[in-house]
Structures are given as structure tokens and as C-alpha cells.
């Protein structure tokens, strides 16, 4: 059994477990949908473009963040309820973990695509454009939440997860920005090594920027 099969199995386990008696099925469907769509895209493109291991592992972690948020809703994740009580927070902040990942993971993905497809070669523009993409993803997600709220009205409250916070949308995008910056600061060298490892196996890659 290779590592990619293990990743698929872990994804399926997480998906199935998250769907067992979730707090709200409507919210669960909405929250896990991005993970399902991403899974389908990765399966479809696997033979033509295989990402580095670090990118696949990080995507799986993001999927689990979505599965947990879908199962409990982002306002009711138990551990973050404990944090809320212990530190006297005014809300459950698990959604900020999700939005941090929403910046971190798209930056990781877009950076690898830019490097290996030779879309961006300039060392200055590479981080700038990857940050722009992650913020665009965050903005599109917020627009999607807004559209769902308009269509379903009160049924979208758990999906929006604002918990009465007036600046929730802006703070969500800020956390995505922090996630993007964190990826570029702390994970660039790790990703470069992972891409180099894929390159050594001649799997449709080009040399990453150092």
C-alpha cells in the first residue's frame, strides 16, 4: 500500500466519521463540500500532475479541519468551547483555525503550481501573487457564505458562524492572510525540498525556486 492510498483511506475515514450524526446536516453538507470537490479534482489530475508530498499532507489536514467544523459546526467544536470558557473568550474561535488554513493551503498549492509549471519565475512576484490568490480564495468563500445566507436565510446561521461578531467577515480574511504569510515564512524551504524530491523521481516537475 503506497502513501497515496493511505491518504485516500484517511480522507474517506474522516469524511465518514464527520457525517455520523453531525449537529446539523445542512451545515455539514456545506462545510465538507469544498473537501469533496478538492478530492475529486486531485483524483482527476493525479496522473497528469502529482503534487509534492508536503502539499498532499497539508491538504488532508485542511480537509480534517473542514470535517470537524462540519460535524460540530464551527461555533460548537468542544475543545474550543473549553478554550472559550477557560480564557473567557466571547465566542468559539475554531472558525479562525479554518480560515488560517484557508490562507495557508491555497498559498502552498499555488506556489507549487507557479514553480513547477514555470508560470512565475521572479522571486519577488512569486510570494506576492500567491498571497493574492489565497486572499481571493478567502473572498470568494465569504461571498459564497453570503449567497447561501440569502438563499436559505436563517438556516445558514451555523454555516456563517459569525456568533454575533460584527467584523467576522473581515477577521476571517485577516486570518487567511496570516495563514498565507505563515506558509511563506515557515514552510517555503520545506516545500522546496519536497518539490525537489518529486523532481528527482521525474514526475512532471521543474526545479523549484530556492
Amino acid at each position: 500500500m503506497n502513501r497515496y492510498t493511505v491518504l485516500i483511506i484517511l480522507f474517506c475515514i474522516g469524511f465518514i466519521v464527520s457525517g455520523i450524526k453531525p449537529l446539523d446536516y445542512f451545515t455539514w453538507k456545506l462545510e465538507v463540500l469544498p473537501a469533496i470537490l478538492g478530492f475529486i479534482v486531485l483524483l482527476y489530475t493525479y496522473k497528469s500532475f502529482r503534487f509534492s508530498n508536503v502539499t498532499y499532507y497539508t491538504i488532508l489536514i485542511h480537509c480534517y479541519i473542514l470535517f470537524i467544523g462540519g460535524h460540530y459546526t464551527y461555533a460548537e467544536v468542544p475543545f474550543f468551547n473549553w478554550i472559550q470558557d477557560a480564557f473567557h473568550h466571547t465566542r468559539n474561535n475554531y472558525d479562525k483555525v479554518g480560515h488560517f488554513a484557508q490562507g495557508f493551503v491555497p498559498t502552498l498549492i499555488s506556489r507549487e503550481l507557479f514553480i513547477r509549471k514555470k508560470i512565475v519565475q521572479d522571486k519577488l512576484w512569486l510570494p506576492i501573487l500567491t498571497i493574492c490568490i489565497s486572499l481571493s480564495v478567502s473572498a470568494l468563500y465569504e461571498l459564497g457564505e453570503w449567497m447561501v445566507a440569502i438563499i436559505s436565510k436563517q438556516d445558514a446561521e451555523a454555516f456563517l458562524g459569525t456568533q454575533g461578531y460584527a467584523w467576522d467577515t473581515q477577521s476571517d480574511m485577516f486570518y487567511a492572510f496570516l495563514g498565507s504569510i505563515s506558509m511563506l515564512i515557515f514552510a517555503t524551504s520545506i516545500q522546496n525540498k519536497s518539490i525537489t524530491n518529486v523532481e528527482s523521481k521525474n514526475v512532471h516537475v521543474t526545479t523549484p525556486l530556492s
Side-chain angles (χ1 to χ4, degrees):
M1 183 181 297
N2 62 43
R3 69 189 66 186
Y4 302 111
T5 303
V6 172
L7 290 175
I8 291 173
I9 292 173
L10 289 175
F11 176 89
C12 293
I13 291 173
F15 172 70
I16 292 170
V17 172
S18 73
I20 298 175
K21 296 182 178 180
L23 191 64
D24 180 81
Y25 267 109
F26 176 75
T27 301
W28 176 78
K29 292 175 185 178
L30 293 174
E31 297 295 359
V32 303
L33 180 61
I36 298 301
L37 294 177
F39 180 73
I40 293 171
V41 170
L42 291 176
L43 281 181
Y44 182 77
T45 60
Y46 176 74
K47 291 185 177 179
S48 60
F49 186 90
R50 190 175 304 177
F51 281 101
S52 63
N53 291 335
V54 166
T55 299
Y56 280 128
Y57 298 155
T58 310
I59 290 172
L60 180 64
I61 292 172
H62 193 188
C63 288
Y64 267 73
I65 291 172
L66 295 173
F67 292 156
I68 293 170
H71 182 81
Y72 292 106
T73 76
Y74 281 88
E76 298 294 339
V77 174
F79 179 67
F80 280 78
N81 276 337
W82 175 83
I83 292 176
Q84 178 182 357
D85 295 336
F87 295 95
H88 307 291
H89 292 169
T90 58
R91 67 194 301 278
N92 184 306
N93 286 309
Y94 180 76
D95 64 320
K96 303 310 176 190
V97 176
H99 286 283
F100 182 90
Q102 194 181 75
F104 193 101
V105 178
T107 301
L108 199 77
I109 294 171
S110 61
R111 185 176 183 276
E112 182 163 344
L113 286 171
F114 282 160
I115 291 172
R116 291 174 55 186
K117 291 292 187 179
K118 294 185 178 180
I119 298 170
V120 179
Q121 297 292 300
D122 188 273
K123 292 183 180 181
L124 174 62
W125 280 105
L126 180 62
I128 291 175
L129 290 176
T130 52
I131 290 173
C132 288
I133 286 178
S134 69
L135 287 177
S136 296
V137 170
S138 179
L140 287 172
Y141 190 83
E142 296 299 329
L143 290 173
E145 286 187 337
W146 176 47
M147 182 176 66
V148 170
I150 291 174
I151 294 173
S152 59
K153 298 181 180 179
Q154 72 273 11
D155 290 337
E157 183 177 351
F159 177 55
L160 290 172
T162 58
Q163 302 178 66
Y165 182 40
W167 303 106
D168 183 69
T169 298
Q170 291 83 352
S171 67
D172 288 348
M173 295 184 67
F174 176 69
Y175 273 86
F177 176 69
L178 290 180
S180 181
I181 294 293
S182 297
M183 183 273 139
L184 293 172
I185 294 175
F186 300 111
T188 292
S189 60
I190 297 173
Q191 185 183 42
N192 284 348
K193 291 178 182 178
S194 187
I195 293 175
T196 301
N197 185 51
V198 176
E199 182 187 31
S200 67
K201 297 177 182 178
N202 298 317
V203 188
H204 308 291
V205 299
T206 59
T207 304
L209 298 175
S210 55

